[in-house]
Amino acid sequence: MARVPPGPTLADIARAAEVSTATVSHALNGTGRLAESTRRRVRETATRLGYGSPRAPRTRTLGLAVTTFAGSAWNFVAVSYFSRWLTAATAAAHAHGYALIALPAERGAQALWHDLAVDGMLLLDSPRKDPVLRALRARDIPVVFDGRPADPRPGDVWVDDDHTVTTREVLDHLAAAGARRIALHGGFGDEHYTYAVTEAYHRWCADRGQPPLVLPFDPDDGPGHAFDGAFATGAADAVHCLYDPGAHQALAAAARHGLTVPGDLLLVCTSEDPSYATTDPPVTTVTLHPEVIAETAVRALIARVAGGAPAPPGRLTTPATLLVRASSTPAG
């Protein structure tokens, strides 16, 4: 039987990263007072050299990470989309005899990304230059994405809605309801969803000779000050919000400017937040069906992990649904 060559030592990693063995030890164990850039460089060097390889035996455990803002300490579970996604993914994993663990988003959790003992990973909204994805690829851990990865490789599998079709459906709906100056409230994330919707919006506007108006989203903008300029000047008579809090912010801004919804302003929000069904007025929403996406992604990942017949590379498309309510339905 051929012998498995020994893996790299701490000294090997120290030479490659141009640091001391003590620094390597601190970086890999999450101890010591190291600059975050040094800690990250050492861990990436260790992964590149194969530290910890070969891969551990099967654990029947899957991992999940929301990496849109990887490194920021934000509570993605508080967002309805991710909360419903996580619940459905957990149920689907358990139904197949797998455990599912969700990784925290803050930068202090990065050590987990390099030595986490899982059979496969679910990555949600992976951004450009995603450090989590880089670490997983280096360790040859199977990955399935929610949302198209920024730089897909041959063989990658991702589950997503057709954001171009959905965006055009929303904009056509608003135009049919009488809107002539539709603004897009978004431009915050660095993942495929944001780029795909924004590009579809610009193309829709160009096709109709209408000037685009993208208003910046800020999760902390409760009063909706991002809308002040457009609402004060009449530059927008409809808004399509891309993120959960967006419509609440738009309603707050409309109230401050004396605008009625839907009389003066039409409103649609992509959100899974159930409270929009009971706002005044109820808000038209787009549901991306996170349960369907989660279940599809888990099945695809387990197929890859188990070595059976994996899903074909590329996008597995799930349909979104426009739930029309009073905020985009003018009286009469």
Side-chain angles (χ1 to χ4, degrees):
M1 179 180 298
R3 294 182 58 191
V4 177
T9 65
L10 295 187
D12 295 330
I13 299 169
R15 282 192 294 271
E18 298 181 346
V19 296
S20 68
T21 54
T23 297
V24 173
S25 178
H26 285 312
L28 297 182
N29 291 296
T31 58
R33 295 183 178 181
L34 302 181
E36 185 56 39
S37 58
T38 301
R39 195 181 300 275
R40 183 169 59 253
R41 177 163 56 89
V42 171
R43 287 173 177 160
E44 291 179 352
T45 301
T47 299
R48 175 171 52 81
L49 294 178
Y51 183 76
S53 297
R55 287 177 52 196
R58 291 274 300 278
T59 64
R60 296 203 68 83
T61 299
L62 307 177
L64 178 151
V66 181
T67 59
T68 311
F69 314 117
S72 300
W74 68 292
N75 182 19
F76 59 84
V77 181
V79 178
S80 295
Y81 177 86
F82 296 120
S83 176
R84 290 171 57 177
W85 209 107
L86 178 57
T87 299
T90 301
H94 290 178
H96 290 84
Y98 283 80
L100 179 68
I101 59 174
L103 278 69
E106 62 265 27
R107 190 169 296 282
Q110 285 192 8
L112 296 174
W113 305 343
H114 292 272
D115 55 19
L116 188 67
V118 295
D119 297 336
M121 280 290 295
L122 300 157
L123 285 191
L124 283 68
D125 288 342
S126 176
R128 299 177 181 181
K129 299 181 180 179
D130 186 349
V132 181
L133 177 58
R134 186 164 59 245
L136 296 173
R137 289 202 193 281
R139 296 178 59 200
D140 196 29
I141 292 178
V143 178
V144 168
F145 302 85
D146 172 358
R148 181 183 184 274
D151 185 21
R153 294 183 179 181
D156 279 349
V157 174
W158 62 93
V159 188
D160 208 355
D161 303 272
D162 191 327
H163 298 300
T164 298
V165 169
T166 302
T167 301
R168 286 185 171 271
E169 181 183 2
V170 170
L171 300 174
D172 288 343
H173 165 72
L174 290 170
R180 296 294 175 264
R181 302 177 302 280
I182 305 174
L184 185 72
H185 184 220
F188 184 71
D190 189 26
E191 78 297 325
H192 176 68
Y193 166 68
T194 298
Y195 286 103
V197 175
T198 304
E199 182 181 14
Y201 168 74
H202 280 282
R203 288 182 178 178
W204 187 91
C205 290
D207 290 345
R208 287 155 183 78
Q210 298 181 12
L213 175 59
V214 178
L215 305 176
F217 169 77
D218 181 345
D220 298 320
D221 183 21
H225 290 303
F227 299 97
D228 286 348
F231 289 179
T233 62
D237 61 4
V239 177
H240 175 25
C241 302
L242 300 193
Y243 308 108
D244 264 0
H248 289 299
Q249 297 173 1
L251 289 172
R256 287 190 292 101
H257 287 271
L259 302 177
T260 62
V261 179
D264 302 312
L265 179 73
L266 302 177
L267 184 60
V268 175
C269 184
T270 299
S271 175
E272 313 300 333
D273 186 347
S275 71
Y276 283 129
T278 57
T279 51
D280 184 19
V283 173
T284 295
T285 56
V286 176
T287 174
L288 303 178
H289 297 296
E291 291 85 359
V292 177
I293 294 179
E295 292 165 4
T296 304
V298 169
R299 288 197 303 268
L301 181 58
I302 290 175
R304 304 202 118 197
V305 168
R315 182 177 69 187
L316 303 174
T317 304
T318 63
T321 301
L322 180 65
L323 303 175
V324 178
R325 300 189 180 105
S327 70
S328 64
T329 310

